[in-house]
Amino acid sequence: MAKPESKKIFFENLSGAGKAIAVLTSGGDAQGMNAAVRAVVRMGLYVGAKVYFIHEGYQGMVDGGENIEEASWESVSSMLQVGGTVIGSARCKEFRSHEGRLKAALNLVQQGITNLCVIGGDGSLTGANLFREEWSGLLAELVEQGSIEADAVSKYSALHIVGMVGSIDNDFCGTDMTIGTDSALHRIIEVVDAIMTTAQSHQRTFVLEVMGRHCGYLALVSALACGADWVLIPEMPPEDGWEDKMCQKLSATRSRGTRLNIIIVAEGAIDRHGKPITSGIVKDLVVKCLGFDTRVTILGHVQRGGTPSAFDRILASRMGVEAVLALLETTANTPACVVSLCGNQSVRLPLMECVQMTQEVQRAMDGKRFEEAVKLRGRSFENNLKTYKLLAHRKPESELPTSNFNVAVLNVGAPAAGMNAAVRSAVRVGISEGHKMFAVSDGFEGFYKGQIREIKWADVGGWTGQGGSLLGTKRTLPAKHVDKIAEQMREHNINALLIVGGFEAFESLLQLCEARATHEEFCVPMCMLPATISNNVPGTDLSIGADTALNAIVETCDRIKQSASGTKRRVFIIETMGGYCGYLASVGGLAAGADAAYIFEEPFDIKDLQANVEHLTEKMKTSIQRGLVLRNENCNENYTTDFIYQLYSEEGRGVFDSRKNVLGHMQQGGAPSPFDRNFGTKISAKAMQWVTKKLVETFRHGRVFANTEDSCCLLGMRRRALVFQPVVQLKGETDFVHRIPKEQWWLKLRPLMKILAKYKTSYDVSDSGQLEHVVRNRPKESDASVAM
């Protein structure tokens, strides 16, 4: 569907001329805040507005003076990869008083500031809204005092507020993910992965305490991402007698040969009577009842620190740009809004609706209405909780349903981090649904060779944190071996297939669908989960493994840029993987602060290369010391990485020198990121539930027979929802020659990278966030939560 031209805005007519925008960070700090500040400053300057830093949060606004400083393009350079907030944050008692807000209003008016971008939690945003509501009264009071001229009241008549939520706790209703949460999960999972190795060596139990005084999100998702044995969170106090149940669970796990136990405790965990459950209490309980060697690790503020993840940088950059657009479009009658994330889409929500719902959660918990509190947290939180319960607590054999269905799971294509988490989830959910699960080694090559074995609950223990593919994976397509594969399907009585993989998996499913005409063995429910670092599978915005690859790219780019620190001006040319798909180069470029990213989807010629060199040369003449250029491996057969490196070296002579780096397979390896572990786990659980439903629907006269299009699907993230799509319907959306979808959502992010790198470029806002309401307009399947 064509985008309405009226909604497309360009550099020439996107105007913030005469406007002054101030950005502040308030309350606790969170990784990614700097990326948001950078985006606000650069987008504000791009549209012609004046942009100001307010240092030290509301305290700086009250104190004024040097705390309110005009920002320049260069003043936000080299801050994308820095944790915390470089403009400072402080809690301010004075701003809570009328006198404090009066001082703040005077300081803003003196600078002509009537647009505020506030990055903080619900307290900071509530304070901003109160300030906005009082604004006209504060100005009238200042006129009476003689502090400002009477005409200032009409000139600065309205204060416009847009909020972004920066909080590692992810405790703000209305958004799937807050800035800083993903980075905090990275810190937690790094510690858990390290602890698991030492715990295994000594057969120890570790109790980890993570942040979350009022919200158990970090504890819940980290437990899901590492396969913890037990989790304690404030929203789900355990039933009375939980101590015995937990000890039984730990004992049963050890009796099956596991050498370690992991228990995760949110700092605000309580029991049903409101009594705190601390990490110390849990440790003493395990030692007393089981005698296990037990240690406690309290992560504390390490969760707040460190470099922001790729996800947080991209989220913060998108939100920062969206916040400036919201400020440009706001009127005196527009309510203060907060920029949020729903699925994979930016939305604007009335700030106070979100604050009120966040406060409702706490009231529900104070009233011990815990189920209500979980629902109010949102579908993302609720589904994480359901998935954890499904995977962590194995029912006794006597309580399991008996379906007599056999389901096979296999990996196809190149390995991608998170594949093992998806397989573990599929196996355990399948067993919980009463199926017998079979693992196929080495993809379809192993399938036709008969490398098929039953896989049990305990067999997949500890798989979530493993990179690569423990089942083994090959690129072999099934078309040439359908007879042998059908024979194996018949021999093992396979009633359904779950395929985890990339573009080859998509092609394989199409081939098996076609083979139904000649082989009834393939007339069974079949589902594919997209798993590839290239993110080039049609029918989904995101693939398992792509986030881990992005983090590898961003970490390397950070190190490479740092290597030039203190040396002469230098430009780095980095080659990324991705085949013909430019996702890694483009989104990695946005997250790493690249000056250009060359991709196949956006053809370029020597004039474009020359323009980029000239642009970098101009920037290098200012205080900018480093440049970064990414190139997708198959973007152009003639303009190779070597060619671009040599061109930049020659044309930049005398101004900067160049270096090149081919990242190669390091993008494919390593432990999966928290996002990929969680995404793989959740979509795999959803897929297995779909498989169960289809098996029941298609079981007739003692056998399974499924030959309709909707029984052979890909489960993908589409904007706000996880959607099952028949693969035959996705054929028309696919460029099979170049192995990419014909339309790719992330191409809309490319102008952001160019704007933030100081290019004059067109920017299409037809897909920008529109003001919605917190509850309404949320699809029932928005459990897609792109973020976890």
Side-chain angles (χ1 to χ4, degrees):
M1 186 175 154
K3 300 290 181 195
E5 278 302 312
S6 60
K7 288 288 287 178
K8 189 172 272 194
I9 50 178
F10 297 92
F11 180 79
E12 289 76 12
N13 57 20
L14 178 66
S15 178
K19 293 199 174 189
I21 299 171
V23 57
L24 71 145
T25 53
S26 177
D29 66 317
Q31 310 97 318
M33 278 183 165
N34 289 325
V37 170
R38 171 180 177 266
V40 170
V41 169
R42 292 194 167 177
M43 188 64 180
L45 294 173
Y46 168 89
V47 299
K50 274 191 171 185
V51 186
Y52 292 84
F53 294 134
I54 298 179
H55 294 279
E56 310 307 334
Y58 287 118
Q59 190 65 57
M61 194 190 295
V62 171
D63 294 343
E66 292 180 357
N67 288 304
I68 302 176
E69 175 196 7
E70 189 170 351
S72 67
W73 197 274
E74 288 73 26
S75 61
V76 291
S77 294
S78 302
M79 66 189 284
L80 189 60
Q81 67 271 25
V82 179
T85 165
V86 298
I87 60 173
S89 181
R91 303 192 189 277
C92 179
K93 285 185 180 178
E94 200 173 350
F95 188 76
R96 295 177 188 173
S97 69
H98 181 78
E99 292 74 19
R101 292 193 291 276
L102 194 64
K103 285 183 189 176
L106 175 61
N107 290 327
L108 293 189
V109 169
Q110 286 175 341
Q111 299 288 353
I113 297 167
T114 56
N115 296 280
L116 269 186
C117 186
V118 181
I119 307 166
D122 60 336
S124 304
L125 299 179
T126 303
N129 191 64
L130 175 63
F131 190 38
R132 171 184 167 275
E133 288 173 347
E134 290 183 349
W135 182 256
S136 56
L138 292 171
L139 293 196
E141 207 171 320
L142 289 169
V143 170
E144 279 180 33
Q145 292 177 357
S147 301
I148 60 173
E149 299 295 328
D151 64 346
V153 176
S154 57
K155 189 176 179 183
Y156 305 117
S157 59
L159 178 69
H160 305 299
I161 303 281
V162 171
M164 286 184 273
V165 191
S167 164
I168 68 165
D169 292 334
N170 203 31
D171 57 353
F172 192 80
C173 292
T175 186
D176 285 341
M177 204 70 156
T178 57
I179 295 167
T181 306
D182 186 66
S183 300
L185 285 169
H186 272 256
R187 300 294 93 78
I188 295 167
I189 294 303
E190 284 163 14
V191 171
V192 173
D193 285 352
I195 277 175
M196 285 176 92
T197 56
T198 182
Q200 222 159 14
S201 302
H202 298 278
Q203 295 195 60
R204 277 185 179 144
T205 295
F206 267 89
V207 182
L208 267 81
E209 184 181 299
V210 302
M211 281 185 165
R213 194 165 64 253
H214 302 298
C215 179
Y217 185 88
L218 289 178
L220 176 58
V221 175
S222 53
L224 199 53
C226 73
D229 296 283
W230 203 267
V231 66
L232 292 156
I233 60 173
E235 294 88 346
M236 186 188 67
E239 300 287 347
D240 290 346
W242 65 272
E243 298 92 340
D244 291 336
K245 287 181 181 176
M246 184 185 76
C247 290
Q248 286 167 12
K249 168 82 189 299
L250 299 180
S251 183
T253 306
R254 284 289 177 95
S255 67
R256 290 196 293 269
T258 303
R259 292 177 59 85
L260 78 156
N261 298 112
I262 299 289
I263 302 165
I264 295 183
V265 183
E267 61 181 344
I270 52 173
D271 65 15
R272 287 271 156 183
H273 309 288
K275 184 182 173 186
I277 302 175
T278 65
S279 49
I281 288 171
V282 175
K283 178 203 167 180
D284 293 343
L285 179 66
V286 174
V287 172
K288 181 184 173 185
C289 296
L290 299 174
F292 289 174
D293 185 2
T294 307
R295 298 286 190 274
V296 171
T297 298
I298 299 173
L299 269 66
H301 281 72
V302 71
Q303 295 157 88
R304 282 194 188 281
T307 302
S309 66
F311 183 97
D312 270 330
R313 298 185 199 194
I314 295 157
L315 175 67
S317 297
R318 289 176 71 181
M319 284 187 167
V321 168
E322 188 68 41
V324 173
L325 292 176
L327 285 171
L328 292 183
E329 293 173 17
T330 193
T331 65
N333 300 321
T334 308
C337 77
V338 61
V339 179
S340 300
L341 183 77
C342 179
N344 193 28
Q345 195 172 21
S346 295
V347 294
R348 301 175 196 170
L349 299 169
L351 191 153
M352 290 316 293
E353 279 188 23
C354 298
V355 168
Q356 284 158 13
M357 186 172 277
T358 304
Q359 291 168 348
E360 275 180 46
V361 175
Q362 195 56 50
R363 282 195 290 272
M365 288 174 65
D366 291 342
K368 296 186 171 58
R369 302 189 306 276
F370 298 111
E371 287 184 14
E372 184 185 334
V374 168
K375 287 187 183 301
L376 286 167
R377 282 270 180 237
R379 290 190 67 88
S380 170
F381 190 95
E382 196 177 356
N383 282 296
N384 279 317
L385 189 52
K386 284 178 183 174
T387 307
Y388 177 77
K389 286 178 178 177
L390 204 58
L391 296 172
H393 302 293
R394 184 183 184 182
K395 292 178 183 174
E397 298 285 340
S398 57
E399 291 181 26
L400 289 173
T402 49
S403 68
N404 296 319
F405 292 124
N406 295 343
V407 181
V409 59
L410 66 157
N411 294 337
V412 177
M419 275 182 164
N420 297 320
V423 172
R424 170 186 175 269
S425 178
V427 168
R428 291 196 168 178
V429 174
I431 291 169
S432 296
E433 306 262 304
H435 310 318
K436 190 179 279 189
M437 299 300 296
F438 288 84
V440 182
S441 301
D442 298 335
F444 283 105
E445 187 173 312
F447 210 137
Y448 81 78
K449 290 178 178 176
Q451 294 170 213
I452 304 167
R453 70 185 192 282
E454 188 179 352
I455 188 164
K456 300 287 185 71
W457 185 282
D459 296 336
V460 291
W463 277 33
T464 47
Q466 300 288 319
S469 165
L470 292 172
L471 283 186
T473 182
K474 294 283 178 71
R475 295 180 184 271
T476 308
L477 298 179
K480 293 179 182 177
H481 311 285
V482 285
D483 293 337
K484 290 181 179 177
I485 293 169
E487 188 181 315
Q488 293 296 334
M489 294 274 288
R490 194 164 55 250
E491 188 177 317
H492 291 88
N493 189 27
I494 302 298
N495 306 119
L497 278 180
L498 182 68
I499 303 172
V500 184
F503 202 86
E504 290 91 353
F506 173 64
E507 290 180 299
S508 298
L509 211 51
L510 283 171
Q511 290 177 3
L512 293 182
C513 202
E514 288 171 13
R516 283 174 165 179
T518 54
H519 296 78
E520 283 194 0
E521 290 82 359
F522 300 121
C523 293
V524 295
M526 295 186 280
C527 185
M528 175 197 161
L529 303 179
T532 166
I533 68 164
S534 303
N535 200 31
N536 64 331
V537 177
T540 187
D541 290 353
L542 297 166
S543 300
I544 300 164
D547 183 71
T548 305
L550 277 178
N551 278 289
I553 291 167
V554 168
E555 286 166 18
T556 307
C557 287
D558 286 351
R559 290 181 185 182
I560 285 170
K561 286 198 291 185
Q562 192 180 47
S563 73
S565 181
T567 66
K568 58 185 176 179
R569 295 180 175 92
R570 186 164 284 169
V571 174
F572 296 94
I573 318 295
I574 312 290
E575 183 185 300
T576 66
M577 292 175 83
Y580 286 97
C581 180
Y583 176 81
L584 291 179
S586 296
V587 182
L590 178 61
D595 296 278
Y598 300 118
I599 62 170
F600 169 78
E601 292 91 342
E602 203 170 275
F604 59 96
D605 57 23
I606 195 69
K607 291 178 184 175
D608 297 310
L609 290 168
Q610 184 62 35
N612 292 149
V613 173
E614 289 171 0
H615 180 79
L616 266 169
T617 303
E618 199 60 37
K619 282 175 73 174
M620 290 288 183
K621 288 176 182 175
T622 64
S623 60
I624 305 295
Q625 295 291 314
R626 299 180 294 278
L628 184 66
V629 174
L630 271 60
R631 178 189 175 276
N632 168 243
E633 59 185 351
N634 287 348
C635 65
N636 189 294
E637 60 182 343
N638 295 315
Y639 299 134
T640 62
T641 302
D642 280 334
F643 177 92
I644 293 173
Y645 160 68
Q646 288 165 5
L647 177 73
Y648 273 74
S649 297
E650 181 62 32
E651 296 297 318
R653 188 170 293 178
V655 180
F656 60 81
D657 65 359
S658 301
R659 294 289 186 272
K660 66 173 178 177
N661 197 304
V662 178
L663 299 184
H665 282 74
M666 65 165 290
Q667 297 158 85
Q668 210 163 37
S673 67
F675 181 97
D676 280 328
R677 298 182 195 201
N678 190 273
F679 188 50
T681 298
K682 284 210 294 190
I683 68 168
S684 188
K686 190 174 180 73
M688 280 307 302
Q689 288 167 333
W690 176 88
V691 165
T692 299
K693 183 179 166 216
K694 287 293 175 188
L695 283 168
V696 172
E697 285 175 4
T698 58
F699 185 70
R700 297 286 183 277
H701 310 297
R703 58 172 289 197
V704 173
F705 187 83
N707 66 347
T708 55
E709 285 184 358
D710 66 352
S711 64
C712 183
C713 286
L714 177 146
L715 174 56
M717 158 73 73
R718 281 289 178 100
R719 291 166 71 85
R720 302 192 186 192
L722 285 172
V723 185
F724 289 95
Q725 302 146 97
V727 288
V728 292
Q729 293 179 16
L730 294 173
K731 282 174 76 174
E733 300 179 21
T734 309
D735 175 353
F736 284 94
V737 175
H738 299 103
R739 297 158 58 84
I740 54 174
K742 289 178 181 175
E743 288 190 20
Q744 303 187 83
W745 69 272
W746 52 265
L747 286 168
K748 291 174 184 170
L749 299 183
R750 282 183 62 78
L752 299 192
M753 185 189 72
K754 292 177 181 177
I755 288 167
L756 299 177
K758 211 173 183 178
Y759 285 91
K760 291 185 180 182
T761 183
S762 62
Y763 184 56
D764 177 6
V765 296
S766 55
D767 203 33
S768 68
Q770 302 303 308
L771 194 64
E772 301 182 8
H773 292 281
V774 179
V775 179
R776 290 202 301 268
N777 298 328
R778 291 296 167 109
K780 287 183 181 178
E781 291 189 271
S782 69
D783 52 323
S785 167
V786 67
M788 290 170 287

